Amino acid sequence: MDDGTASADRRLECIALFAFSLLTGWLNLHHEPWHDELQAWRIALDSSSIADMFANLRYEGHPPLFHLLLRLVGAFTHAWSAAVAMHWLIACLSAWMVLWHSPFTLLQRVLVVFGYFFVYEYAVIVRPYGLGVCLALGVCAAWCGVPRRPGLAVLLLLLLATTSAIGLLLAIPLAMGLLVDAAGSSRGAWWLDRRRRRQVLLAGTLLGVTALAVIGLIIPPPDALYQVRLELFARDRLWLIGRAASIPARVLLPWAQHVPDGSTQWGSWVFPQTGRSGILVADIVSLLAMALMTFVVARRRAALVLWIGSSVILLGFFAFVFGGGLRHHGYLIIAFLAAAWLAVSPARSDGVQPLAQGDTATARWRRASFTALLALMVLPSVQFAIAEVREPFSDASQIAGLLATDSLAAAPVVGLAYPWSQPVAALLQRPIYLPAESRFAMWAARRNVVQGPAAMSLADSTVRVLLATHCHVVVLSSRGNKDQQFVWPGARELALDAGTPMAGAALRVWVVTASRCSQAVTPGR
């Protein structure tokens, strides 16, 4: 590439990064956070110490790295916008690494950063998965860069394993791929060289210790609301396998469906998730997609090891341990990008290209296939960008705005809908009563939970007690679950904007007024 072409490409990369930062920043301004986002934020802020935060995270199923970053930000400000800004900067760093350091063509790099997972899932929704993507890309950039930085790659690999359970599952095959690449790029076998053998042993030991530590941190205690269950011998294991096998088609085109009122349903996709025919069609499409993705990365043995290993580990995990959602399944795409990164990077030696004889003839088809796969994921970016601006992702922001008005600013809130009432408390920055846990809090502990009629009874008795000292009590119940629709003599439901939030879990807001007080409550009017 001559200097003129390189200079022109650099200008286009700068324009693409600027456009990415503007687009994702704009979407973040329109995004209404939901429970999982604000749950992590309040745990990081409200835990009394680092050790206490680690103990609380055992009920979340997440290792601590992302929450440590949130706690660091929270040391300066408790404003939710600070957490959003931190997450946005991480997403911009990921885009920068792809645009500046990946070995793909300029068109492919642009398609990557404007694909659904980079623009929306891991840039707008504030969860630890965006941090994991950034670290995985950093591993690729450090390993495939000139000069190669193996020490930095190993460090980033270890950090990746501490971002989430899915991050750990990606770190393991990524380490396998790097090991195969190191062995293939050496003039002699690495195990015959004492220095290289010690390096590999040290890196493997560090990753193993990190993996054991992460597993120990994320295994839930016996009283946790959510438990990990191995479904290897479940009666419906064939259905679980079929559902997991359909994930590649889902992540390549995560086109959202619409609920009856016309709202976009986050986490849905172009193929139906239930029914044998829907899963069968998705499985066939997934099989074709996996074959095409394998063809793209088959240029190098290390890339194949990474891709096949991550596919087996991730899909097996989704089939038998945790079904997951689109935010988890997207790591299959990140594994594919990492494998493609290894495959396209200049080979370090002969013998690392199993298809070397036909590589020249197939290179054009590999590039075209890779470009086509990346282009598919840009379409959902457009859909979700429009939906994010036009539709609420969560109704928590609207409800918090209503409850912050003068007439209800001092009213206690009872969060009957569990745990979906929690984001209202986080946005109000004041505790609400959670009947499921029998306590006032700004985050859900997810342990010793009481639900159903018992929670309704606790809510009822709590409202009676609160009305003795307050004129108004607010109760948040579920809009879709009749068992959680609060019923109180004289209770008035506040009108919310029509439509189902993209994240689901729509709430109803009830105001109960003491008989001795005025009935006039006009929040937001």
Side-chain angles (χ1 to χ4, degrees):
M1 182 182 296
D2 57 45
D3 293 340
T5 303
S7 178
D9 281 358
R10 185 62 71 197
R11 286 194 295 270
L12 291 174
E13 291 164 0
C14 291
I15 293 172
L17 181 60
F18 181 68
F20 175 87
S21 62
L22 282 183
L23 175 59
T24 53
W26 182 57
L27 293 177
N28 272 293
L29 289 176
H30 287 83
H31 180 67
E32 300 86 1
W34 70 307
H35 162 63
D36 277 13
E37 296 176 88
L38 290 165
Q39 171 82 349
W41 176 238
R42 292 315 309 187
I43 286 178
L45 294 185
D46 298 338
S47 297
S48 60
S49 63
I50 299 294
D52 184 42
M53 187 183 76
F54 276 48
N56 292 329
L57 287 179
R58 292 196 63 194
Y59 295 86
E60 298 293 304
H62 283 292
L65 183 59
F66 183 69
H67 293 77
L68 287 172
L69 290 179
L70 290 177
R71 190 175 179 89
L72 178 62
V73 171
F76 299 96
T77 175
H78 285 192
W80 169 245
S81 57
V84 174
M86 180 201 76
H87 190 259
W88 173 75
L89 288 173
I90 291 173
C92 291
L93 180 59
S94 298
W96 173 77
M97 281 189 287
V98 171
L99 290 169
W100 255 253
H101 297 286
S102 68
F104 311 133
T105 67
L106 178 60
L107 174 60
Q108 290 168 346
R109 282 175 278 157
V110 171
L111 291 175
V112 168
V113 299
F114 285 99
Y116 167 78
F117 290 101
F118 280 78
V119 162
Y120 193 77
E121 193 73 42
Y122 300 140
V124 176
I125 302 173
V126 183
R127 300 291 287 123
Y129 310 109
L131 176 61
V133 170
C134 185
L135 292 170
L137 297 174
V139 171
C140 296
W143 185 263
C144 298
V146 179
R148 173 177 286 177
R149 297 177 175 85
L152 178 59
V154 171
L155 175 61
L156 296 176
L157 199 64
L158 296 177
L159 291 175
L160 169 62
T162 64
T163 57
S164 65
I166 306 298
L168 171 61
L169 296 180
L170 177 59
I172 293 172
L174 187 53
M176 293 166 54
L178 299 189
L179 177 60
V180 171
D181 194 47
S185 61
S186 304
R187 292 188 177 182
W190 62 267
W191 55 83
L192 298 179
D193 185 292
R194 180 177 298 179
R195 179 172 175 270
R196 279 179 289 165
R197 189 167 63 242
R198 287 177 178 174
Q199 291 175 343
V200 171
L201 181 61
L202 176 61
T205 301
L206 289 174
L207 182 59
V209 170
T210 303
L212 291 175
V214 169
I215 292 172
L217 286 172
I218 64 178
I219 292 179
D223 60 340
L225 179 61
Y226 302 112
Q227 295 292 335
V228 177
R229 294 181 176 86
L230 186 63
E231 303 288 352
L232 190 61
F233 301 105
R235 291 183 178 180
D236 56 347
R237 60 182 178 274
L238 292 180
W239 182 83
L240 294 173
I241 294 172
R243 185 186 62 179
S246 68
I247 288 175
R250 178 179 186 180
V251 295
L252 279 175
L253 188 60
W255 191 263
Q257 300 297 306
H258 298 280
V259 293
D261 63 10
S263 303
T264 304
Q265 186 181 7
W266 173 63
S268 62
W269 58 321
V270 68
F271 299 106
Q273 300 182 48
T274 57
R276 293 183 178 180
S277 59
I279 291 179
L280 179 60
V281 171
D283 285 349
I284 294 173
V285 175
S286 290
L287 182 61
L288 296 175
M290 290 292 288
L292 188 59
M293 295 162 88
T294 304
F295 170 71
V296 169
V297 305
R299 181 172 177 265
R300 295 180 67 181
R301 188 163 54 230
L304 273 176
V305 169
L306 166 56
W307 171 236
I308 294 175
S310 59
S311 299
V312 171
I313 291 174
L314 289 173
L315 294 180
F317 180 78
F318 296 140
F320 300 117
V321 181
F322 176 66
L326 200 54
R327 57 195 179 278
H328 311 105
H329 302 161
Y331 265 50
L332 191 67
I333 292 297
I334 305 306
F336 172 59
L337 292 176
W341 195 316
L342 277 179
V344 178
S345 295
R348 299 287 175 171
S349 69
D350 297 331
V352 296
Q353 300 183 15
L355 303 179
Q357 293 181 350
D359 187 66
T360 302
T362 59
R364 183 179 63 178
W365 293 105
R366 293 182 200 277
R367 286 194 298 269
S369 300
F370 186 47
T371 304
L373 290 171
L374 296 176
L376 280 177
M377 288 180 283
V378 175
L379 298 176
S381 299
V382 177
Q383 182 194 35
F384 274 89
I386 295 173
E388 185 62 69
V389 174
R390 297 179 58 183
E391 305 173 23
F393 190 86
S394 163
D395 55 10
S397 296
Q398 182 191 3
I399 295 172
L402 289 176
L403 301 187
T405 54
D406 291 340
S407 56
L408 291 175
V413 180
V414 176
L416 181 59
Y418 183 86
W420 309 114
S421 303
Q422 177 272 332
V424 177
L427 292 173
L428 289 173
Q429 296 197 41
R430 60 186 172 99
I432 67 174
Y433 185 77
L434 301 175
E437 298 180 3
S438 303
R439 69 183 185 115
F440 280 89
M442 282 189 281
W443 58 279
R446 303 181 194 265
R447 58 179 179 266
N448 299 321
V449 173
V450 176
Q451 299 190 52
M456 288 286 293
S457 177
L458 278 173
D460 181 85
S461 60
T462 301
V463 169
R464 294 180 187 276
V465 171
L466 293 173
L467 284 176
T469 54
H470 295 80
C471 278
H472 306 293
V473 175
V474 176
V475 180
L476 305 178
S477 69
S478 172
R479 196 187 303 178
N481 188 343
K482 293 183 178 180
D483 293 335
Q484 290 195 21
Q485 290 180 0
F486 184 73
V487 178
W488 183 277
R492 186 164 65 90
E493 184 176 4
L494 298 184
L496 301 176
D497 291 340
T500 303
M502 292 168 61
L507 297 176
R508 302 178 74 177
V509 183
W510 305 86
V511 177
V512 184
T513 303
S515 58
R516 68 182 185 281
C517 300
S518 170
Q519 296 290 325
V521 178
T522 56
R525 298 292 187 268

